[in-house]
Amino acid sequence: FGSRLTWPGSRSILRLLVRSSPDPLVAMSATEVKLFGRWSYEEVNVADLSLTDYIAVGRGSHTFLPHTQGRYQKKAFRKALCPIVERLCCSMMMHGRNNGKKLMAVRIVKHAFE
């Protein structure tokens, strides 16, 4: 496995989308990463300079869903690389009855954003 997973014909599908779209903004939105396919990361920033190293809102932490299945607890301070919305979902999985129910936490966050 490589660092980038593709399927046969994926490039031709993207080219077809770009060519068939009369509006260039529609073609660009096919490659833009939006949280839950709805919210853009453009206006998300950290105003406090002391927290910029500990809250991940940069280009590397933009995901479609807050469920990356990453192991951010293996080393000290690696959880600072975890996307901030995923950290919110993980913090909701507390207190016994909610342990391990990440899909439920993701759904709750999605409904809260709406």
Side-chain angles (χ1 to χ4, degrees), residues 7-19:
W7 63 88
S10 63
R11 291 181 194 261
S12 61
I13 292 171
L14 185 58
R15 278 190 221 123
L16 180 66
L17 282 173
V18 171
R19 280 190 214 144

Side-chain angles (χ1 to χ4, degrees), residues 8-40:
S10 63
R11 291 181 194 261
S12 61
I13 292 171
L14 185 58
R15 278 190 221 123
L16 180 66
L17 282 173
V18 171
R19 280 190 214 144
S20 65
S21 173
D23 188 11
L25 293 177
V26 173
M28 285 178 44
S29 67
T31 59
E32 182 183 2
V33 177
K34 291 186 176 183
L35 181 64
F36 297 115
R38 187 175 299 171
W39 292 282
S40 177

Side-chain angles (χ1 to χ4, degrees), residues 41-59 61-62 80 82-85 87:
Y41 285 98
E42 290 178 4
E43 298 178 10
V44 178
N45 59 4
V46 179
D48 191 357
L49 187 62
S50 64
L51 295 177
T52 56
D53 293 336
Y54 303 106
I55 298 178
V57 293
R59 293 290 295 163
S61 63
H62 294 180
C82 183
I84 189 66
V85 181
R87 288 182 73 181

